[in-house]
Amino acid sequence: MKKILLVLTLLLTLQFSAVSAQTHLEVNGVTVPRKIEYQNKTLQLNGAGGRSKMWLEVYVQALYLSQLSQDPKFIIDSDTEMAIRIEITSSMVSSNKLTKAMNVGFEKSAGSNLEQLRPRIEQFKTYLSDAITEKDVFVLAYNPLDQTINVFKNEVLKGKVQGFDFKKALFGIWLSDKPVDETLKKHLLGI
C-alpha cells in the first residue's frame, strides 16, 4: 500500500511540475510567464534573455507577440499587439541609468528619425523616472488600435506614448540591425 501511495504521489508531483513548466520559463533566476494578457488578447512568449553590463546581470527581458516570429524586421514593422517585459535583477539599476541606456538604444535604433522622436522619447523617459528597485517589472505594450506604447510599472499604467514610428524605434532598441545587445536579440527571437 505504501508503494502505491508513493507512486501516486510521485505521479501527481510530476504532473504539477509539467503544468508549471508549461506556464512559466526560468531565465537567470527570474520566472518569466509564457503568456500575458493585453487588450483582451493572449500574447505568447517569443523569447527571453538576460542583459549584462560589465559582468553584472541587470535585467531579464522577454518579448511577447500575437504571432511568433524569428524575423526582427517583421516584428519591428508589425502593427499588431506586442509587448516587452523587463524585470530588474540588480539593485545597481536606477531610473537615471535606465533612461541613459534608453537614450543610447534610441540613438542606435531611430537613425535619421531621432530628432522627430525626441519629444516622445523624453515623454517616455518620464514614465521610467520613479525610483527603481530589484524585482520591479516594466511592460512596454503596443496597442495597434490607437498606435500607442503603454508603459506599465508593476502592473500600474504610468503613461502612453503615441506613434507607430515610436513603437518601431522602441522595439528596434533590442531588435534592429544595431541592437544594444546582440546575444539578447537572439534570445528574444528564440534563436
Side-chain angles (χ1 to χ4, degrees):
M1 184 69 169
K2 284 184 178 181
K3 287 183 181 180
I4 293 172
L5 285 175
L6 183 63
V7 169
L8 284 175
T9 303
L10 181 62
L11 287 173
L12 287 173
T13 303
L14 289 174
Q15 280 185 319
F16 287 122
S17 295
V19 168
S20 177
Q22 292 171 358
T23 60
H24 294 86
L25 175 71
E26 189 85 12
V27 179
N28 298 345
V30 171
T31 301
V32 177
R34 289 195 183 269
K35 296 178 181 180
I36 60 173
E37 295 296 321
Y38 178 66
Q39 296 298 107
N40 297 319
K41 294 201 176 188
T42 300
L43 301 180
Q44 296 180 44
L45 179 65
N46 195 71
R51 171 86 163 109
S52 300
K53 238 9 209 191
M54 303 199 31
W55 305 286
L56 178 70
E57 287 291 327
V58 291
Y59 60 78
V60 169
Q61 182 171 344
L63 173 64
Y64 294 88
L65 303 173
S66 55
Q67 180 182 348
L68 300 181
S69 176
Q70 291 185 329
D71 181 350
K73 182 160 177 34
F74 172 80
I75 297 167
I76 291 170
D77 292 339
S78 179
D79 193 16
T80 60
E81 292 84 358
M82 62 182 64
I84 291 279
R85 180 185 186 274
I86 298 172
E87 185 166 337
I88 305 300
T89 58
S90 170
S91 60
M92 302 297 288
V93 177
S94 66
S95 61
N96 188 38
K97 288 178 182 174
L98 185 61
T99 55
K100 280 183 179 177
M102 290 289 181
N103 270 341
V104 171
F106 275 115
E107 287 172 12
K108 289 180 169 189
S109 173
S112 62
N113 208 17
L114 182 63
E115 288 312 310
Q116 182 181 341
L117 293 172
R118 178 100 37 217
R120 289 178 280 162
I121 293 170
E122 295 305 316
Q123 175 190 2
F124 173 72
K125 289 178 358 187
T126 65
Y127 304 143
L128 307 176
S129 64
D130 292 347
I132 294 175
T133 59
E134 196 172 331
K135 298 200 184 292
D136 277 345
V137 175
F138 292 91
V139 175
L140 314 173
Y142 177 67
N143 180 353
L145 298 176
D146 61 1
Q147 293 193 323
T148 58
I149 290 289
N150 296 260
V151 180
F152 296 89
K153 180 181 179 187
N154 299 325
E155 298 184 13
V156 174
L157 179 64
K158 303 302 280 179
K160 298 179 179 190
V161 182
Q162 191 70 42
F164 183 59
D165 57 343
F166 181 81
K167 174 263 180 189
K168 289 171 66 171
L170 179 66
F171 280 75
I173 289 173
W174 300 281
L175 299 174
S176 70
D177 292 338
K178 299 177 194 173
V180 293
D181 185 319
E182 192 67 47
T183 302
L184 179 57
K185 175 182 175 177
K186 288 178 182 174
H187 287 299
L188 294 176
L189 295 173
I191 298 174

